[in-house]
Amino acid sequence: MIEMVSKGLATLEVSLKHSGSLFMYAGNEGGAYAKNSFGNIYTAVGVFVLGGMFHEAWGSKAGEKQAQFNDFIERNRICISMELVTAVLGDHGQRPREDYTVVTAVTELGNGKPKFYSTPEVIAFCRKWRLPTNHVWLFSTRKSVTSFFAAYDLLCEEGTATSVCRALDEVADISAPGSKDHIKVQGEILEGLVARIVSHESSKHMEEVLKDHPPPPADGAGMDLGPSLREICAANRLDEKQQIKALLQKVGSSFCPDHSDWYESHSRNADRSVLTNFLQAHPADYSTTKLQEMIRLMKEKRFPAAFKCYHNFHKAESMSSDNLFYKMVIHVRSDSGFRRYQKEMRHKPGLWPLYRGFFVDVNLFKANKERAAGIAKSNNDIVGHVNNGSSTSTIDGLANEDANLMIKLKFLTYKLRTFLIRNGLSILFKDGPAAYRAYYLRQMEIWGTSAGKQRELSKMLDEWAVYIRRKCGNRQLSSAIYLSEAEPFLEQYAKRSPENQVLIGSAGNLVKTEDFLAVVEGGMDEEGDLATEREEAAASLSPSVKDTIQKKEGLIVFFPGIPGCAKSAFCKELLNTPGGLGDDRPVQSLMGDLIKGKYWPKIADERRKKPYSIILADKNAPNEEVWKQIENMCHSTRASAVPVIPDSEGTDSNPFALDALAVFMFRVLQRVNHPGNLDKSSPNVGYVMLMFYHLYDGKSRNYFEDELVERFGSLVKIPLLKPDRGPLPASLISVLEEGINLYNLHTKRHGRLESNKGSYVQEWAKWEKKLRDTLSANAEYLNSIQVPFEFAVQQVSEQLRKIAKGDYTIPSTEKRKLGTVVFAAVDLPAAEIQGLLNKLSGMNSNAEAFLEDKPMDNFLRKAHVTLAHKKSHGFSAVAGYGLYLHRQVPVELNALLFTDKMAALQAQLGSIDDEKIVSKNEWPHVTIWTGEGVAPKEANTLPQLLSEGKATVVEINPPLTVSGTVEFY
């Protein structure tokens, strides 16, 4: 990212992340949508707030402008995406002072791929219609980009809206303030920032837009707009339907004349055959072709997604048996679905992107011959235009503004409230304080929270747990209004010390919501972050953190693998190993093939019976659903879990390479009398092995390992193949690829139907025989490339013993490491400084007299020249040195100043890349000694004391030049 900006290829764009819910508006005809739903209280609130924004912006012209706006976006097939920030839909990080929206994206669907407006275009669009915009910063130079990331490193654990916005204003090349001041409308608790790469021309475009489109006036400011959102919800708080009705009536007919999405909600579910009919229908336009392609792929690859279809009552007057209208909601249930789809897009650039919050209007109709011919000609024209070359990048290919690298950077003061307090409520009340402590410590490890902050937060959260359980008893505090209790507690805690105030960020001025909170069916959370969060960006596990498993806790050893990975053999060896895993906890093994009923609930029962035992879970654990069960088991029964996986290079789309798959199949076909009936006598061994193999489809090796480490904090690898092995024979590659292709054909047509049924029975029988023959013919090779079993057992046992003892370093993941940065400095070699002092002592009697009784060997273990300190000079001053991080700089030491209480070397900093490094301190120096009770920062006063005759100076002539590196501390 930094290199792209440095080379003039891109600009970094950063915007505020407001604490709200996704709300999308496509006009009265197009509809209003939340993240994965429509026609409910979320969309009613969104329409009401957006309508209110028009009144605030346009005053008496609001009705006229609302109608024009609806007509404009419907004619141009435009959808507006917004962050809906309100206190009536439940608590997030901080209750907003006002209810508002901020436009985050504008999308236009033409004849080709959806076009996302660039941010300058979004601002121009919003200022034309007087819609609220977000605060945006642009960083177009290497210095500003590195300063931005350095600023986030400084602020990630303590940043609030004021400090973050001020720091970014100082280091950004362009700052475009939003229509709404976050501090005034939401508060100081800032959820985070969204950073993405955009084209290098964005800076110029932004400057032009800001010049040509000044902030619009607010003609309705101060006008009496009638009952507010909170007043309407309070007056109708007993019934969701009544709240929706009251809100829509207040919005008015000019903005929302059709209420069918809300009032027809109970009868709008369509038959499941609609999706099948849609996929089988002839596409009437290019957009439909691409949507069919997308949905087919997701269904074939079994993406974690649902495709829900509803009757579209906006089109009721046009409906007939030959002309049907539906709304389709594409609901991706897991973030892994987006990652897997992005990998598919790399192989198939023509695929349309997949978005969070995806709604499609579907029209199924029967066309006569003339209309069908016209549709076919129109499609051919579009496809020809697309394939012509010039339009490919904008219709099929990924546009620069659309295919950006994007990262979300969240702040600890927000995560404390939302994830550690709110999302921990169910664990605290159901499983108790010990499980809650394990939960929040695990979260902080995942985020890479600094050790100091972990200690501070642990103390505060333990106190919170006692406080809220004592106050609520056994009745769990509702997550929708958790801030009613959490905010007063945090306010009182912050008042105890300045350190606590920094930890909390901001507390007090609580907005009371109990009287106007909207009625939400089933307690649903539209934002979807009530589940335990494992941050996708801006978090990492530090390799220096020790993941200690307490002896008073249990341990679950489980195997995310494939049949043939030797898990049962390992469990047997571990069970019979003298001394177990090096402690006195009993070890037991439960084989999945011998357990009747559901396996993982049985493991949970055993954990409750023997809470301090070590359980070897002898069953394949291939997916996130199983991993989540194990995580929950750890929380509820006070245990840790260790994944044990076969080592393999893997591929971009599977954590196991073909050579590993071949070995697993070979091993399975050597079995006899296997308890699970998967052995040489089984007729469909190959099909079953491919079924297990495809359970990992879409996960690269890096993703697979990182996911397990983030969830469980440890990872044990089973040595599998010799590193000096020869390549996989072509015959093995061919038979495996043939089987994978056959498996894809079979599942595409028959889903999970067994291979001895369906259209490919004969093909499966032929391939199964060919697989056995090929494996047998290559038996010598397959035996020769495997690591000896005894060596593998030894390696696994040693790794597990280290984890059980706590002598284990968490593997680092690929994510960015963050922590609390306090100051920037030039790190100097202490040995060279010590050598200089010894030399100086032999040359100058004053220096010798001063140094002779000083234990410099003990004191001078580290040396540095401070460049800037965040408390003295500000966040942006420290961040400004990010450009030079880890770079070498010459430092000239030319004098020793000392008193009977302290001593320091005067320093003169050199240059990096011909740019002079300047310390923010008035007197750059290296503190080498302070007396008892004297703070090192007092050395800053030495020049003043020298001028007053209270300090001594010894010139160093010629000066000594040492090389140091710029670092953050």
Side-chain angles (χ1 to χ4, degrees):
M1 185 180 280
I2 294 174
E3 289 304 314
M4 290 179 68
V5 175
S6 301
K7 294 175 181 177
L9 301 176
T11 291
L12 180 68
E13 177 188 288
V14 177
S15 58
L16 289 180
K17 174 67 176 75
H18 295 252
S19 292
S21 303
L22 176 63
F23 172 65
M24 293 169 286
Y25 186 71
N28 180 64
E29 192 75 15
Y33 304 90
K35 185 190 291 184
N36 293 303
S37 63
F38 66 99
N40 54 26
I41 188 64
Y42 290 96
T43 53
V45 169
V47 168
F48 180 90
V49 174
L50 182 59
M53 307 243 84
F54 269 91
H55 282 283
E56 181 182 317
W58 293 100
S60 60
K61 296 181 180 178
E64 174 189 345
K65 291 297 180 180
Q66 287 172 341
Q68 291 176 4
F69 179 70
N70 274 334
D71 179 65
F72 179 82
I73 64 176
E74 287 168 12
R75 278 191 292 104
N76 291 279
R77 305 175 78 187
I78 289 174
C79 180
I80 317 295
S81 297
M82 289 162 274
E83 197 76 43
L84 172 61
V85 185
T86 174
V88 308
L89 293 176
D91 288 339
H92 287 276
Q94 184 179 34
R95 287 180 187 164
R97 297 184 172 112
E98 297 179 15
D99 304 305
Y100 65 98
T101 62
V102 171
V103 175
T104 54
V106 178
T107 319
E108 185 178 307
L109 179 62
N111 289 324
K113 192 184 71 173
K115 175 201 172 185
F116 274 76
Y117 284 17
S118 67
T119 299
E121 290 171 335
V122 169
I123 292 176
F125 176 88
C126 288
R127 290 189 173 180
K128 171 186 175 182
W129 292 102
R130 301 188 185 180
L131 295 173
T133 56
N134 203 354
H135 197 150
V136 179
W137 295 268
L138 293 180
F139 304 84
S140 54
T141 63
R142 183 183 184 90
K143 182 176 182 179
S144 64
V145 171
T146 53
S147 296
F148 163 72
F149 284 112
Y152 178 72
D153 283 353
L154 283 156
L155 292 161
C156 64
E157 293 189 343
E158 298 176 356
T160 59
T162 295
S163 58
V164 171
C165 292
R166 181 183 299 141
L168 297 195
D169 281 344
E170 291 176 358
V171 300
D173 297 305
I174 296 176
S175 174
S179 308
K180 297 290 183 181
D181 186 328
H182 191 288
I183 299 163
K184 293 179 180 178
V185 295
Q186 177 141 30
E188 282 287 358
I189 300 304
L190 178 60
E191 178 173 340
L193 302 168
V194 177
R196 64 180 189 140
I197 285 290
V198 296
S199 71
H200 189 64
E201 289 72 30
S202 286
S203 295
K204 182 179 179 181
H205 192 185
M206 180 69 81
E207 289 176 343
E208 293 172 353
V209 165
L210 295 179
K211 178 182 177 182
D212 297 340
H213 299 82
D219 294 342
M223 287 180 58
D224 182 7
L225 302 179
S228 68
L229 171 65
R230 302 181 187 191
E231 289 169 339
I232 292 174
C233 287
N236 300 275
R237 65 187 309 267
L238 298 179
D239 181 69
E240 180 184 7
K241 290 182 183 178
Q242 189 58 39
Q243 283 184 334
I244 291 173
K245 183 178 180 181
L247 290 171
L248 296 179
Q249 287 177 343
K250 179 62 175 64
V251 170
S253 59
S254 61
F255 194 53
C256 189
D258 190 335
H259 300 170
S260 57
D261 276 351
W262 291 273
Y263 296 159
E264 302 288 348
S265 59
H266 293 289
S267 60
R268 67 177 179 217
N269 288 39
D271 189 271
R272 291 187 178 182
S273 63
V274 172
L275 180 62
T276 303
N277 294 336
F278 172 72
L279 293 176
Q280 293 175 349
H282 294 289
D285 56 22
Y286 187 71
S287 300
T288 304
T289 303
K290 303 309 291 182
L291 284 166
Q292 287 175 325
E293 180 184 21
M294 170 193 290
I295 295 171
R296 286 194 190 104
L297 174 76
M298 294 175 70
K299 289 183 70 63
E300 289 167 7
K301 299 288 187 178
R302 296 183 185 178
F303 278 34
F307 305 91
K308 304 173 186 177
C309 295
Y310 305 92
H311 292 291
N312 186 350
F313 290 99
H314 285 282
K315 306 288 188 178
E317 295 181 358
S318 303
M319 283 189 189
S320 68
S321 59
D322 293 341
N323 194 33
L324 302 174
F325 294 87
Y326 302 96
K327 289 179 181 286
M328 182 190 298
V329 181
I330 301 177
H331 180 187
V332 181
R333 293 194 173 105
S334 170
D335 285 344
S336 65
F338 292 103
R339 290 191 288 269
R340 290 171 59 187
Y341 193 85
Q342 287 166 0
K343 289 174 183 174
E344 294 291 338
M345 290 180 70
R346 296 191 193 110
H347 301 297
K348 301 176 181 177
L351 279 174
W352 267 15
L354 178 65
Y355 305 109
R356 190 184 301 278
F358 207 140
F359 301 84
V360 182
D361 283 341
V362 176
N363 177 204
L364 294 176
F365 61 90
K366 290 184 179 180
N368 56 36
K369 291 183 179 180
E370 292 181 2
R371 186 176 181 189
I375 290 171
K377 183 180 184 305
S378 176
N379 282 346
N380 288 336
D381 290 343
I382 293 173
V383 173
H385 180 62
V386 169
N387 293 334
N388 243 347
S390 61
S391 300
T392 302
S393 62
T394 58
I395 297 180
D396 258 353
L398 293 175
N400 287 338
E401 296 290 345
D402 194 3
N404 324 325
L405 169 64
M406 179 183 291
I407 54 175
K408 292 181 180 179
L409 305 166
K410 295 194 176 183
F411 293 96
L412 187 60
T413 50
Y414 167 83
K415 294 192 287 188
L416 155 66
R417 290 159 168 81
T418 303
F419 301 112
L420 300 186
I421 293 180
R422 186 187 75 171
N423 289 6
L425 287 173
S426 60
I427 296 172
L428 174 60
F429 280 90
K430 290 178 182 177
D431 304 322
Y436 176 58
R437 181 176 177 81
Y439 162 76
Y440 71 65
L441 287 174
R442 184 78 198 97
Q443 286 297 105
M444 289 191 283
E445 284 181 8
I446 289 169
W447 296 334
T449 307
S450 64
K453 276 291 183 282
Q454 286 199 43
R455 287 192 296 271
E456 293 179 49
L457 285 172
S458 296
K459 180 181 177 182
M460 188 272 289
L461 291 168
D462 286 344
E463 191 171 322
W464 157 254
V466 172
Y467 165 83
I468 198 62
R469 279 171 61 88
R470 184 179 297 157
K471 185 163 186 178
C472 295
N474 294 324
R475 183 175 57 84
Q476 181 178 324
L477 175 65
S478 169
S479 61
I481 56 169
Y482 82 99
L483 286 174
S484 295
E485 297 295 345
E487 200 68 23
F489 169 83
L490 294 173
E491 183 179 9
Q492 291 302 315
Y493 194 87
K495 289 179 179 178
R496 297 182 195 173
S497 69
E499 291 77 16
N500 285 3
Q501 180 65 58
V502 171
L503 180 71
I504 301 304
S506 176
N509 301 317
L510 179 67
V511 177
K512 299 292 183 182
T513 64
E514 286 76 356
D515 293 334
F516 58 73
L517 194 69
V519 180
V520 179
E521 280 188 354
M524 64 181 284
D525 172 49
E526 183 62 38
E527 185 61 15
D529 58 5
L530 278 175
T532 302
E533 187 212 51
R534 300 188 316 281
E535 295 283 309
E536 300 224 335
S540 175
L541 297 175
S542 169
S544 64
V545 176
K546 297 289 185 179
D547 193 16
T548 304
I549 296 174
Q550 301 294 330
K551 295 291 182 64
K552 62 183 179 181
E553 295 182 349
L555 180 64
I556 303 169
V557 179
F558 69 101
F559 299 85
I562 292 175
C565 68
K567 64 185 179 306
S568 296
F570 276 105
C571 288
K572 183 178 179 180
E573 291 292 329
L574 294 170
L575 195 62
N576 296 327
T577 300
L581 295 185
D583 56 38
D584 56 358
R585 286 178 291 179
V587 181
Q588 61 177 323
S589 177
L590 295 176
M591 189 176 188
D593 294 317
L594 299 177
I595 298 295
K596 294 182 179 180
K598 294 185 176 180
Y599 180 79
W600 295 107
K602 177 66 175 176
I603 295 292
D605 291 340
E606 290 298 317
R607 286 282 317 119
R608 283 186 280 269
K609 291 177 185 176
K610 302 175 182 179
Y612 306 137
S613 67
I614 297 173
I615 290 182
L616 307 177
D618 184 4
K619 183 177 177 65
N620 288 301
N623 53 35
E624 285 94 340
E625 183 180 347
V626 173
W627 302 345
K628 182 61 179 176
Q629 290 185 58
I630 297 172
E631 282 184 296
N632 293 338
M633 208 184 305
C634 291
H635 290 316
S636 61
T637 65
R638 294 195 64 189
S640 298
V642 180
V644 180
I645 63 172
D647 201 2
S648 173
E649 289 88 349
T651 69
D652 288 339
S653 59
N654 198 293
F656 302 107
L658 288 182
D659 50 10
L661 177 61
V663 167
F664 296 151
M665 288 178 164
F666 180 69
R667 288 176 176 178
V668 169
L669 287 170
Q670 309 304 305
R671 295 172 175 173
V672 291
N673 299 322
H674 183 260
N677 297 319
L678 188 65
D679 53 31
K680 64 188 301 183
S681 64
S682 306
N684 61 342
V685 165
Y687 168 77
V688 174
M689 293 296 292
L690 289 175
M691 181 180 67
F692 273 96
Y693 183 73
H694 279 80
L695 289 174
Y696 298 92
D697 193 42
K699 298 183 178 74
S700 68
R701 186 69 186 191
N702 286 338
Y703 170 78
F704 177 63
E705 292 186 4
D706 286 354
E707 184 77 5
L708 289 167
V709 169
E710 289 186 14
R711 285 177 182 267
F712 302 103
S714 59
L715 186 67
V716 170
K717 295 183 181 181
I718 304 173
L720 178 64
L721 303 177
K722 295 177 180 178
D724 57 349
R725 65 189 182 278
L728 195 65
S731 59
L732 279 173
I733 295 174
S734 176
V735 74
L736 292 175
E737 290 181 344
E738 183 181 334
I740 290 170
N741 292 334
L742 180 57
Y743 180 85
N744 289 333
L745 286 172
H746 177 88
T747 54
K748 180 179 179 180
R749 176 169 292 187
H750 301 297
R752 298 184 181 182
L753 190 70
E754 294 180 4
S755 61
N756 59 0
K757 301 174 184 177
S759 309
Y760 302 99
V761 174
Q762 293 183 359
E763 288 83 349
W764 276 117
K766 291 178 182 178
W767 179 79
E768 292 279 0
K769 183 180 185 306
K770 184 177 181 181
L771 173 68
R772 291 175 188 240
D773 292 344
T774 308
L775 290 172
S776 177
N778 290 279
E780 183 179 351
Y781 168 82
L782 293 169
N783 282 318
S784 70
I785 65 172
Q786 297 182 54
V787 168
F789 180 68
E790 296 76 13
F791 173 76
V793 170
Q794 178 189 357
Q795 292 294 307
V796 171
S797 299
E798 288 179 2
Q799 293 177 72
L800 286 173
R801 285 195 186 98
K802 285 184 178 181
I803 292 173
K805 290 190 300 182
D807 185 20
Y808 176 79
T809 301
I810 296 176
S812 62
T813 70
E814 294 183 336
K815 295 179 181 176
R816 179 179 168 83
K817 180 187 175 187
L818 300 172
T820 298
V821 177
V822 178
F823 64 95
V826 178
D827 187 37
L828 299 175
E832 291 190 38
I833 304 298
Q834 182 68 58
L836 168 65
L837 294 175
N838 291 338
K839 183 178 180 180
L840 194 62
S841 180
M843 297 172 57
N844 186 283
S845 57
N846 286 336
E848 181 181 14
F850 173 76
L851 293 169
E852 63 181 356
D853 60 344
K854 303 294 186 301
M856 299 305 294
D857 289 340
N858 293 331
F859 192 88
L860 193 59
R861 293 180 179 178
K862 293 183 178 181
H864 68 263
V865 180
T866 299
L867 297 173
H869 195 288
K870 70 178 184 181
K871 288 186 178 178
S872 304
H873 308 105
F875 294 105
S876 58
V878 179
Y881 294 99
L883 176 63
Y884 311 108
L885 198 59
H886 311 313
R887 301 284 304 278
Q888 288 195 335
V889 58
V891 179
E892 182 183 279
L893 305 173
N894 52 36
L896 168 67
L897 280 71
F898 61 87
T899 68
D900 59 347
K901 295 181 179 180
M902 54 194 159
L905 292 167
Q906 183 169 278
Q908 184 171 335
L909 300 169
S911 301
I912 298 178
D913 295 336
D914 298 325
E915 186 164 342
K916 180 76 172 176
I917 304 301
V918 179
S919 172
K920 300 299 180 184
N921 276 339
E922 291 185 12
W923 184 58
H925 65 278
V926 184
T927 302
I928 61 170
W929 174 82
T930 59
E932 186 174 349
V934 179
K937 68 177 183 180
E938 293 300 318
N940 282 297
T941 63
L942 281 168
Q944 179 63 31
L945 294 174
L946 180 64
S947 67
E948 296 172 358
K950 299 177 182 178
T952 303
V953 61
V954 175
E955 301 289 341
I956 301 174
N957 194 8
L960 174 70
T961 299
V962 296
S963 181
T965 57
V966 177
E967 304 292 347
F968 285 156
Y969 295 89

